[in-house]
Amino acid sequence: MKKLIEIAFCLMMLTTPLSVMAQATGSIGGKVIDDENNEPLGFVTVALLPEGSSTPIAGCSTDDEGVFELPNIKAGKYTLKFSYVGYLNDSRNVSVTNIRCNVGTVKLKSDRKLLKEVVVTEQRSQMSFDIDKRVFTVDQSIATTGGTASDVLADIPSVEVDTEGTVSLRGSESVTVWINGKASGLTSDNQGDILQQLPAGSIERIEVITNPSAKHSPEGTAGIINIILKRDRKAGYYGNAQAGADTRGGFNIGANANYSSGLVDAYIGLNYRNMRFENKGYTQTKYFGPQSYLNQTSTGSHNPNNIFARAGVTWHITKNDDIFANVMGMYGGGRHKSNINAQSGSLDADGNPMEATEHKTRTTEQNGKPRMYNVEIGYTHRWSDDHYIDLSVGHHSWQQKREATYRQETVFPTTGNTVKSYQFQDNKNKSDNTEIKLDYFYKISDNHRIEAGYKGDFSSDNSPVTTYTDEAHSKIDTKLYNVFDYKQQTHALYGTYSGRLGKFGYQLGLRGEYWNVSTRSTDWNDKENGTTKPYSKSDFLKLFPSAFISYEISEGHEIQANYTRRLRRPWGGQLNSFMNISDSTNISYGNPDLTPEYSNAYELNYIKNWKKHTLSLSAYYRTTDDVIERISYNEGKVIYTTHENVAQTQSAGLEIIGKNKLFKYLDLTTSVNLFYYKLDAFKYTINGHEITGEADENFSWNARMTASVILPWNITMQVTGRYNARRIVAQGYREPDYMLDIGLRKMFNQTWSLSLNARDLLDSRSRHSVTINDSFERNSKNSHGGRTFGFTLTYNFGNMKAKMPKRKPQEMPSNGYGDMDGMGDM
């Protein structure tokens, strides 16, 4: 107890473990060797499963001499499964009594000897369940081959990605996206840009954590989406090269390589992507006083391109000490063009448009130059596999230079007059973020463990914008000059305690966060007068508790309830008061007075596993105060959109996910999300305009199904379809939408493969929304990309060794490759 108190004091946490409740009655041991040369195999994965179950209850790895031992195993019948890279899997049936069960020597056969004789008849599962998250393996996804991280996320149950790249979870945009267990510089400002450039081929799996514990940041009221990048630990060197193209004229080429030994693990990846896509849409607006209309159609072409690179190395200094360093970067550019044609006039007595009295054409040309890098270093010390401390420091920098030219021509048919205008906007954005993370883990016994840690987050953002009104760029529009500065510091301490009493498992956690936000907006008068406005500062100190309770009805049959408190902080773009004028009739700007929104989230989860089927039911309820929503109002025929803390919302739902393996050749993953949403009434005054919203509520749902089929001639097919029903938002609603993707992959041998895919096969992906208030009604629809056919050719290379050197690899949870959280391993 004294040792525990000393450790907890160092981390500023104090936890008191409960006593060990149950005594096991036996153990299992043995040795694993190579079938060909009889040499011992170290680091073979040994999993213990109850007879007839597919869910492991214990596991270990063999030591340098191939020996393994599983202590404290209850009496009963089990199956031992052995797996190792470069070898065929094997299994043994064992019976455990009150004495040691020795399975003897297990010989694993190398798959190199049987490579030409193997016929693929089953697929690796693309979805698995942990008690606190769902894990989706996507490195075998065919439909997204050659695509981006946004394409991958769009295929994940419960996740949506709209035409603008905005990610939402269970219908809420208040979701945090991580890379390898960390924010990695992703913010709401740059998230869409980075995810639309990150190659899908570099992603191993997606973890969806709908109700994270106190161990994780409370940011994102809907939960966390964690993108895990590939970093295999196979022995030797290996990798792949890919090249692909699509019918839009886009193409990509890239390569990845890995090296692993007893001393060093390293990886490197380089990818170039040139994308081309078009967007189109329309907006129809009716104004109620006086009765008038404004109808717009828009088209656009976009050509972003970038180089995306990443590399990392882990140095195993000693048996118990590792140092790692990772770097990720993006360098790119792109041209974007758009055209808006608008007609406006009066409405007749029946509300129908009369002959237009004004025709307007607006063209926009943009050049963007994004730059991004993320550097992380860390150190891990392990007293044992169940007792370690992990420290990491990361720095992220994002820069975006954008030059935009706006030309507008307005024609008045009744007078024959024409008015032309010109604007050039120089917009620079630079954000930096430094993160310090310290995690401590101690597994006291098989049934009890503690975790504690600290996280410091220091971020800043600078966004100067200058607008010129002449082609010589000598006349500045002083009303559109702005420099926005944003700074935030966050300090967090957390502690969790997990335990098990028989079939009951529990976890209690508490996280305390202190953060301060400083914002400042400098206008033209400040610049001319040489005055410096003071920062507008806000300080917050909040506690975020979490509680998880689970009950194991039988093997593979579990029920769980949990509660967490979460928040959503406003991001820089929502706080920046600068006005976006890319569409002169639809102007958006931020609100520096926004405050965070807070949520209380409750979930009840049920999981049932059969041999070839899995069913997951999740009932959830969430209340949110001071909800941040988009609010619109008009001044004449110009509609202004900003953000406001409007009211309280309530949401409840039932998420059903089923996984079924049929006939060895068909794998179905189906998800249905049924949810209820209620928004309270609100009333605000913004810039002299009274904005009101009536209380509203509705029931909505969405569904998704992915079918993976193994066809003859080493061909695999994957089909994904999804549908989103009508749903309400502040001041209106979104119309239903649907989408269908298909992919095919042909394996020629173990070296070459060809993937063909069709994204948005029905050309139906769009965002159709209706906004209604006392002053106007707006109906808008926009599509992005459209139907696309593409192919990707992959070449695999390497000299994977039969076995790892005699050294046990150290996994580092802070790197995002270990167990993230919860009680899944208990």
Side-chain angles (χ1 to χ4, degrees), residues 346-400:
S346 299
L347 299 173
D348 61 22
D350 296 326
N352 298 315
M354 300 175 65
E355 186 176 351
T357 58
E358 183 178 305
H359 296 273
K360 186 180 295 183
T361 301
R362 186 175 180 86
T363 61
T364 301
E365 295 184 7
Q366 293 189 51
N367 292 322
K369 296 180 180 179
R371 309 285 188 267
M372 181 272 285
Y373 72 84
N374 188 84
V375 179
E376 182 184 19
I377 59 175
Y379 167 74
T380 299
H381 174 73
R382 292 178 180 266
W383 293 275
S384 68
D385 288 342
D386 299 328
H387 189 193
Y388 57 83
I389 192 168
D390 184 73
L391 172 66
S392 65
V393 179
H395 180 75
H396 177 90
S397 179
W398 166 265
Q399 297 182 46
Q400 173 80 294

Side-chain angles (χ1 to χ4, degrees), residues 513-818:
E513 289 205 355
Y514 165 78
W515 72 96
N516 61 69
V517 178
S518 301
T519 61
R520 180 174 63 192
S521 186
T522 303
D523 59 25
W524 181 256
N525 289 332
D526 296 324
K527 181 180 184 303
E528 285 292 284
N529 297 329
T531 59
T532 302
K533 290 180 180 178
Y535 279 97
S536 175
K537 298 183 178 181
S538 301
D539 293 87
F540 304 87
L541 176 61
K542 299 292 181 181
L543 296 177
F544 300 92
S546 66
F548 292 73
I549 301 175
S550 65
Y551 178 72
E552 186 181 24
I553 302 171
S554 61
E555 291 296 337
H557 193 190
E558 190 165 16
I559 190 169
Q560 182 224 47
N562 59 59
Y563 160 79
T564 64
R565 180 165 172 79
R566 303 191 60 74
L567 88 158
R568 177 191 183 192
R569 299 180 181 96
W571 47 274
Q574 293 176 328
L575 297 168
N576 190 349
S577 58
F578 175 73
M579 293 187 176
N580 183 341
I581 60 170
S582 57
D583 181 350
S584 60
T585 61
N586 293 280
I587 296 176
S588 60
Y589 64 95
N591 177 7
D593 296 324
L594 286 177
T595 59
E597 61 179 56
Y598 299 92
S599 293
N600 293 295
Y602 307 83
E603 281 196 12
L604 180 64
N605 300 315
Y606 171 83
I607 299 175
K608 172 63 177 175
N609 289 296
W610 293 271
K611 187 174 182 180
K612 295 185 178 181
H613 307 280
T614 299
L615 174 65
S616 169
L617 303 177
S618 296
Y620 57 91
Y621 174 71
R622 183 171 64 242
T623 62
T624 305
D625 297 319
D626 297 326
V627 174
I628 300 173
E629 285 278 5
R630 292 184 179 92
I631 298 297
S632 298
Y633 63 92
N634 70 294
E635 293 181 357
K637 294 182 180 180
V638 178
I639 295 177
Y640 293 85
T641 300
T642 186
H643 289 82
E644 188 67 60
N645 296 100
V646 294
Q648 184 185 67
T649 63
Q650 300 180 56
S651 58
L654 176 65
E655 186 176 52
I656 306 169
I657 299 180
K659 179 172 176 54
N660 303 278
K661 183 174 289 292
L662 307 173
F663 318 117
K664 290 187 178 181
Y665 305 102
L666 176 62
D667 193 327
L668 292 178
T669 301
T670 307
S671 67
V672 178
N673 185 23
L674 313 169
F675 59 93
Y676 164 83
Y677 180 81
K678 180 181 179 181
L679 174 66
D680 291 347
F682 58 88
K683 183 178 181 180
Y684 292 93
T685 299
I686 303 176
N687 292 337
H689 299 270
E690 187 174 273
I691 310 299
T692 61
E694 299 294 331
D696 202 355
E697 57 185 330
N698 82 322
F699 171 82
S700 187
W701 62 280
N702 55 60
R704 182 183 321 225
M705 175 177 284
T706 298
S708 298
V709 186
I710 295 179
L711 302 174
W713 307 295
N714 283 336
I715 297 177
T716 308
M717 180 175 69
Q718 187 179 90
V719 182
T720 299
R722 51 192 172 277
Y723 177 83
N724 297 310
R726 182 181 183 270
R727 51 173 295 201
I728 66 167
V729 294
Q731 294 183 299
Y733 57 90
R734 291 183 188 172
E735 294 285 10
D737 64 86
Y738 57 93
M739 191 173 174
L740 180 67
D741 299 330
I742 297 179
L744 291 170
R745 175 183 289 153
K746 164 67 176 176
M747 299 294 297
F748 295 99
N749 49 47
Q750 297 299 314
T751 303
W752 291 94
S753 68
L754 176 66
S755 297
L756 306 175
N757 59 65
R759 301 287 296 175
D760 194 13
L761 184 63
L762 304 179
D763 199 17
S764 57
R765 186 184 182 189
S766 64
R767 179 169 179 166
H768 188 182
S769 60
V770 176
T771 303
I772 304 172
N773 62 23
D774 295 336
S775 303
F776 68 89
E777 177 178 328
R778 181 174 58 187
N779 184 348
S780 63
K781 185 176 183 179
N782 294 279
S783 63
H784 186 80
R787 183 188 297 114
T788 307
F789 299 92
F791 77 89
T792 300
L793 184 64
T794 302
Y795 169 72
N796 298 299
F797 60 87
N799 71 337
M800 286 188 302
K801 299 175 183 177
K803 70 186 187 76
M804 289 281 289
K806 295 184 177 182
R807 135 150 209 99
K808 188 165 184 176
Q810 302 290 332
E811 293 293 343
M812 295 171 289
S814 73
N815 238 358
Y817 300 99

Side-chain angles (χ1 to χ4, degrees), residues 148-161:
T148 67
S150 291
D151 297 325
V152 173
L153 290 176
D155 279 342
I156 300 298
S158 308
V159 180
E160 297 175 33
V161 182

